[in-house]
């Protein structure tokens, strides 16, 4: 008889649930989960095609080792011994700072917990995950402003919003299940504001569309705050009771008038005023944002500016309000919660706080643990290039395609003495590895995943991994044993039990409580129901008050020039995901979206004698790539857009970074575009 096994979608952070139908040990179909609290049975195109990944002929089936220019099959014993010997040798010769470990936002909470524990027991501070490339500014900015780095309200609560402000997110394509909740709010009369450099499908639902220039978000948000203050639309009672720093913030935005912002953003002053009034005067307003806000040298400033706007208007801590960062990977929230970050141990305990070190030293029976912030994912690439990092262990990430300035990344990885990659496919990064370890995909293992709304859900194992592939949990534990580390866990439940003891927000999220729909952290005890809405009775700070942090507009790191007269911005499209390692192996998705393209305004295209569909070359100071031209009014004159799911886009992007969160500036690059010969 066929079985229906509950699982969690392996793509974006929405955390949609569905069933995998299994017959004779093979996943045959998916079945919708109509009672799922977030997705209500809806799935996007990627989730509907997700089983195609499991049985793709490119799946890694056996460990392989580099021999010259060839990768040859070896046994697991040989692979684990080689990996352990290489890491131990690096540790002995160069010390722990010469090792870098990238954890994976595709992995479960339990696997991420073990990966960061492996790193710290080895003595290296250098552990990070792909949140560094998407929502590191949310972690830094929201922790700093509010005391907690998570979405404040669940998806379903959007139906209670009377005004929804979407900025830097094309959620209609990239989080389509979430957009359903906005439509529900609109049907009840909610006003929708959308700010984006492109006219996306998300903008089609907007009552106010603010088409700003790339990289000018702080100017827009500060101007909206200025309007709210000048027109008396702030919540003075909330400010006095729950915040500090209002007078400093008021002074900082005094000159951020709508007219001033118009000159920077290109958004008409009257439109800024209307949007600010709609947001501030509404009885319940929410803010949704994604990488259009975070992937800037000012990413942390952007997040803090949004927090300031929500706080001065009292739009937080209640139904229909809040700040909702939309995570791009299925477990990027969980990977951060588990401490797979350069600056935090599990539960966001600071790595530079001696009390954090002592807490985990005792819990892990460790003689010593590394103190202080380690290198971020991007900094590890730089350190590999200049010889400070000599060995890297990369789990489920593809930095060749996801890091900026891709040529530099390849050079850095080729400079390593040892590169171990653990993945389900031979990615561009894996092709440069000394050892490649075949891992299980999401439906081939069990564990918990934490969605962007802080919902922790258990995903069941539906089928066995192919060939000799093993779960990441099994591989990490086996490698740890070879290194003499106490990593001995029989299954994900055993790891979750340790997480329950050491991460306060997860203390009540035990295996036996994780039924359909899971639980939303913080859930501090086994009798606690979870906390869908944060900050309803204060903030997780020393005095219970949020901090208003003035930020000032700073232009992007690169400006258009005579040589590179256009501004390139990047993002997602509906049919692909992140670096494309899975979706570009999905036949049904590739049939509909097979190639890299670049959007260009028709007026710019006409001047350059480029027609729709032409093969064009896009170049920056770092490199050049070819793409198919799409002439469209979605982008303004002087702006071009490329999706980052295909090899080629991140060859072009700069490695300038946010000094606070370390995220690269993917969203603004000076470029040129011309017809290919």
């Amino acid at each position: 008889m066929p079985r229906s096994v509950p699982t969690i979608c392996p793509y974006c952070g929405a955390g949609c649930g569905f069933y995998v139908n299994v017959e004779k040990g093979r996943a045959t179909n998916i079945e919708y989960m109509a009672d799922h609290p977030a997705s209500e049975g809806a799935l996007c195109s990627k989730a509907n095609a997700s089983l195609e990944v499991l049985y793709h002929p490119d799946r890694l089936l056996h460990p392989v080792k580099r021999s010259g220019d060839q990768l040859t099959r070896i046994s697991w014993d040989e692979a684990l011994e080689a990996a352990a010997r290489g890491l131990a040798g690096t540790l002995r010769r160069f010390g722990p700072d010469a090792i870098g470990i990238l954890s994976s936002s595709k992995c479960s909470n339990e696997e991420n917990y073990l990966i960061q524990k492996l790193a710290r027991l080895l003595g290296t501070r250098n552990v990070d995950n792909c949140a560094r490339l998407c929502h590191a500014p949310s972690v830094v900015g929201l922790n700093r402003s509010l005391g907690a780095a998570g979405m404040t309200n669940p998806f379903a609560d959007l139906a209670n919003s009377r005004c929804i402000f979407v900025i830097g997110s094309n959620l209609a394509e990239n989080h389509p299940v979430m957009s359903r909740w906005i439509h529900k709010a609109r049907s009840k009369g909610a006003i929708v504001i959308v700010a984006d450099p492109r006219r996306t499908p998300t903008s089609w639902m907007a009552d106010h569309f603010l088409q700003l220039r790339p990289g000018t978000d702080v100017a827009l948000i500060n101007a909206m705050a200025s309007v709210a203050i000048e027109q008396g639309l702030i919540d003075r009672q909330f400010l006095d009771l729950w915040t500090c720093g209002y007078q400093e913030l008021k002074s900082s935005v005094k000159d951020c008038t709508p007219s001033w912002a118009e000159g920077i953003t290109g958004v008409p002053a009257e439109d800024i005023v209307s949007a600010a009034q709609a947001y501030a005067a509404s009885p319940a307003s929410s803010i949704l944002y994604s990488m259009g806000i975070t992937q800037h040298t000012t990413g942390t400033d952007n997040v803090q500016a949004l927090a300031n706007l929500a706080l001065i208007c009292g739009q937080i801590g209640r139904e229909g309000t809040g700040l909702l960062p939309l995570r791009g990977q299925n477990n990027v929230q969980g990977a951060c919660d588990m401490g797979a970050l350069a600056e935090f141990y599990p539960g966001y305990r600071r790595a530079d706080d001696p009390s954090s070190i002592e807490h985990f030293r005792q819990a892990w029976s460790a003689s010593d643990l590394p103190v202080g912030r380690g290198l971020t994912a991007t900094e590890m690439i730089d350190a590999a290039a200049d010889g400070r990092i000599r060995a890297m262990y990369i789990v489920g990430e593809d930095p060749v395609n996801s890091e900026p300035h891709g040529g530099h990344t390849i050079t850095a990885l080729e400079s390593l003495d040892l590169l171990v990659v653990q993945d389900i496919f031979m990615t561009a990064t894996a092709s440069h590895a000394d050892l490649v370890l075949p891992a299980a995909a999401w439906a081939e293992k069990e564990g918990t995943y934490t969605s962007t709304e802080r919902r922790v859900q258990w995903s069941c194992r539906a089928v066995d991994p192919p060939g000799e592939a093993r779960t990441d949990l099994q591989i990490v534990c086996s490698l740890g044993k070879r290194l003499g580390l106490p990593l001995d866990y029989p299954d994900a439940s055993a790891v979750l039990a340790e997480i329950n003891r050491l991460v306060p927000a997860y203390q009540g999220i035990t295996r036996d409580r994780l039924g359909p729909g899971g639980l939303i952290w913080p859930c501090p005890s086994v009798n606690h129901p979870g906390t869908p809405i944060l900050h309803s009775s204060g903030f997780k700070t020393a005095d219970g008050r949020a901090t208003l942090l003035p930020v000032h507009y700073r232009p992007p790191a690169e400006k258009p020039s005579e040589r590179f007269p256009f501004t390139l911005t990047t993002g997602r499209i509906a049919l692909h995901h992140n670096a494309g390692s899975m979706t570009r192996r999905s036949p049904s998705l590739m049939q509909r979206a097979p190639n890299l393209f670049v959007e260009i305004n028709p007026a710019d295209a006409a001047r350059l004698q480029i027609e729709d569909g032409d093969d064009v070359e896009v170049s920056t100071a770092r490199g050049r790539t070819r793409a198919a031209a799409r002439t469209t009014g979605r982008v303004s004159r002087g702006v071009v857009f490329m999706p980052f799911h295909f090899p080629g886009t991140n060859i072009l992007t700069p490695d300038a970074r946010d000094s606070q969160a370390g995220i690269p500036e993917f969203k603004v690059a000076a470029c040129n575009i011309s017809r290919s010969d």
Side-chain angles (χ1 to χ4, degrees):
M1 288 287 293
R3 294 183 298 125
S4 291
V5 182
T7 189
I8 307 302
C9 179
Y11 287 109
C12 84
C16 300
F18 59 87
Y19 297 97
V20 176
N21 291 338
V22 180
E23 191 167 1
K24 295 180 180 179
R26 187 175 177 87
T28 57
N29 204 352
I30 64 171
E31 181 181 336
Y32 300 132
M33 194 178 287
D35 59 350
H36 191 275
S39 53
E40 296 184 317
L43 292 177
C44 72
S45 55
K46 295 183 287 291
N48 276 298
S50 58
L51 297 190
E52 295 177 355
V53 173
L54 297 180
Y55 300 111
H56 195 279
D58 286 353
R59 282 297 300 273
L60 293 172
L61 305 178
H62 312 283
V64 294
K65 180 180 180 180
R66 181 167 301 283
S67 178
D69 292 333
Q70 301 296 317
L71 289 168
T72 58
R73 177 177 171 178
I74 57 175
S75 70
W76 268 109
D77 277 345
E78 291 174 290
L80 292 167
E81 183 61 30
R85 187 171 59 250
L87 291 171
T90 301
L91 189 64
R92 185 175 60 255
R93 293 193 304 274
F94 303 106
D97 287 345
I99 296 174
I101 296 180
L102 290 185
S103 197
S104 176
S105 296
K106 299 183 186 75
C107 287
S108 68
N109 287 324
E110 294 74 24
E111 290 164 338
N112 276 291
Y113 176 85
L114 290 183
I115 294 165
Q116 65 81 32
K117 184 175 180 179
L118 169 75
R120 277 140 180 165
L121 290 176
L122 276 174
T124 183
R125 300 171 298 165
N126 305 326
V127 60
D128 209 13
N129 79 88
C130 78
R132 191 64 54 188
L133 306 179
C134 60
H135 271 284
S138 294
V139 175
V140 175
L142 295 182
N143 263 317
R144 189 179 291 167
S145 295
L146 310 179
M151 182 181 282
T152 62
N153 297 51
F155 299 153
D157 188 51
L158 284 170
N160 299 316
S161 295
R162 301 278 61 84
C163 179
I164 299 172
F165 179 24
V166 183
I167 180 167
S169 172
N170 178 17
L171 60 90
E173 285 194 86
N174 304 323
H175 297 86
V177 171
M178 274 202 68
S179 69
R180 297 165 61 255
W181 294 105
I182 297 180
H183 287 295
K184 290 183 179 183
R186 290 193 80 228
S187 70
K188 297 178 181 179
I191 294 171
V192 177
I193 306 163
V194 176
D196 200 290
R198 298 169 66 224
R199 286 188 175 274
T200 67
T202 303
S203 72
W204 304 343
M205 66 175 99
D207 299 286
H208 302 275
F209 177 53
L210 314 177
Q211 191 167 15
L212 73 168
R213 297 185 181 107
T216 61
D217 305 275
V218 164
L220 172 67
I221 300 162
N222 277 358
M224 291 177 67
S226 177
V227 170
I229 292 169
E230 290 299 312
Q231 297 192 5
L233 299 175
I234 61 173
D235 188 332
R236 191 74 223 201
Q237 183 178 1
F238 179 90
L239 284 167
D240 291 343
L241 186 62
W242 294 118
T243 73
C244 58
Y246 172 66
Q247 290 301 326
E248 293 84 350
L249 178 73
K250 180 180 178 180
S251 297
S252 74
V253 300
K254 180 180 179 182
D255 297 326
C256 298
T257 64
S259 296
W260 166 83
E262 178 178 354
I264 294 170
T265 66
V267 178
E270 59 268 25
D271 292 349
I272 297 174
V273 172
S274 296
Q277 291 170 336
Y279 175 82
S282 162
S285 294
S286 56
I287 296 174
L288 294 88
Y289 71 89
S290 193
M291 297 193 304
I293 281 292
T294 57
Q295 287 184 331
H296 294 274
T297 52
T298 57
T300 302
D301 289 351
N302 292 345
V303 171
Q304 289 179 175
L306 289 174
N308 291 339
L309 179 62
L311 289 167
I312 64 172
C313 297
Q315 301 286 12
I316 199 163
R318 298 180 286 110
E319 285 190 349
T321 68
L323 287 157
L324 286 73
L326 307 180
R327 313 289 185 173
Q329 186 58 268
N330 63 325
N331 203 33
V332 69
Q333 179 69 58
C336 296
D337 297 345
M338 294 302 107
L341 288 168
E343 60 267 69
F344 294 107
Y345 274 68
Y348 300 101
R349 297 193 66 138
R350 294 195 61 86
D352 58 3
D353 183 348
S355 67
S356 299
I357 309 307
E358 182 60 20
H359 173 77
F360 287 101
R361 190 190 66 77
Q362 292 188 22
W364 294 342
S365 300
S367 59
D368 196 16
L369 291 174
V371 183
R373 175 188 179 278
L375 298 178
T376 66
T378 304
E379 289 169 344
M380 287 186 220
I381 298 299
D382 291 344
D386 64 24
R388 287 176 291 133
I389 291 278
R390 308 301 293 259
M392 288 191 73
Y393 177 30
I394 298 176
V395 182
E397 296 296 341
D398 187 15
V400 168
N401 282 325
S402 61
E403 287 282 341
H405 196 175
H408 171 65
T409 301
I410 292 172
T411 299
L413 295 179
E414 290 180 341
S415 301
L416 292 167
D417 297 335
L418 174 71
L419 174 59
V420 182
V421 173
Q422 188 168 304
D423 216 315
I424 65 173
F425 292 117
M426 184 62 71
T427 62
T429 299
S431 68
H432 295 279
D434 300 291
L435 288 166
V436 181
L437 310 179
W442 91 99
E444 300 156 0
K445 58 186 178 180
E446 64 177 9
T448 59
Y449 296 83
T450 306
S451 76
T452 189
E453 60 176 354
R454 296 176 283 112
R455 186 181 301 277
V456 184
Q457 303 176 86
W458 186 269
S459 183
C460 295
R461 178 172 176 157
V463 293
D464 292 334
E468 294 184 295
R470 296 181 179 180
T471 70
D472 295 285
L473 186 152
Q474 290 173 316
I475 300 170
V476 173
C477 285
S478 297
L479 179 59
K481 289 178 187 177
R482 300 265 178 162
L483 288 161
L485 304 177
L487 295 177
D488 188 10
Y489 301 85
D491 53 32
S493 293
V495 184
L496 180 57
E498 183 167 314
I499 294 167
N500 296 152
R501 294 193 297 271
L502 296 180
V503 180
Y506 282 69
Q507 281 182 344
I509 304 178
T510 60
R511 173 66 187 96
D512 58 357
R513 295 192 70 202
L514 286 175
L519 290 163
I520 297 179
W521 70 254
C523 183
S525 72
V526 292
N527 299 315
H528 196 283
T531 312
I533 298 178
L534 291 178
H535 315 308
S536 57
S537 57
F539 297 86
K540 194 179 177 182
T541 57
D543 61 359
R545 293 153 67 93
T547 304
L548 292 160
L549 296 162
V551 294
H552 303 281
Y553 168 71
R554 292 182 287 121
E558 282 193 356
K559 298 179 181 179
S561 63
E562 183 176 351
R563 182 183 176 194
F564 299 113
F566 292 93
T567 297
L568 167 67
T569 192
T570 68
R572 300 187 182 102
I573 59 174
L575 295 167
H576 284 291
H577 181 67
N578 288 9
S581 61
M582 293 195 295
T583 54
R584 285 189 285 107
R585 289 180 171 89
S586 176
S588 60
L589 298 176
M590 286 297 287
Q591 184 179 10
R592 297 165 62 191
N595 298 312
L596 179 62
F597 64 85
V598 56
E599 292 182 350
I600 181 171
N601 185 274
D604 290 330
R607 180 172 55 82
L608 297 172
Q609 298 182 325
I610 293 171
E611 295 185 2
D612 192 72
D614 279 354
D615 187 25
V616 299
E617 182 177 86
V618 184
S619 59
T620 68
R622 290 153 295 281
R624 58 190 67 235
T625 194
R626 290 194 173 194
R630 289 189 182 179
T631 59
T632 174
R634 281 187 171 191
V635 292
S636 302
R637 295 186 66 173
V639 176
V640 298
F641 167 84
M642 296 176 71
F644 53 61
H645 314 295
F646 295 86
T649 299
N650 281 340
I651 291 173
L652 307 175
T653 48
D655 51 13
R657 296 164 206 162
D658 180 323
S659 61
Q660 301 172 80
I663 195 169
E665 183 152 69
F666 291 102
K667 289 294 182 278
V668 184
C671 78
N672 198 5
I673 183 169
S674 60
R675 290 182 60 178
S676 296
D677 296 333

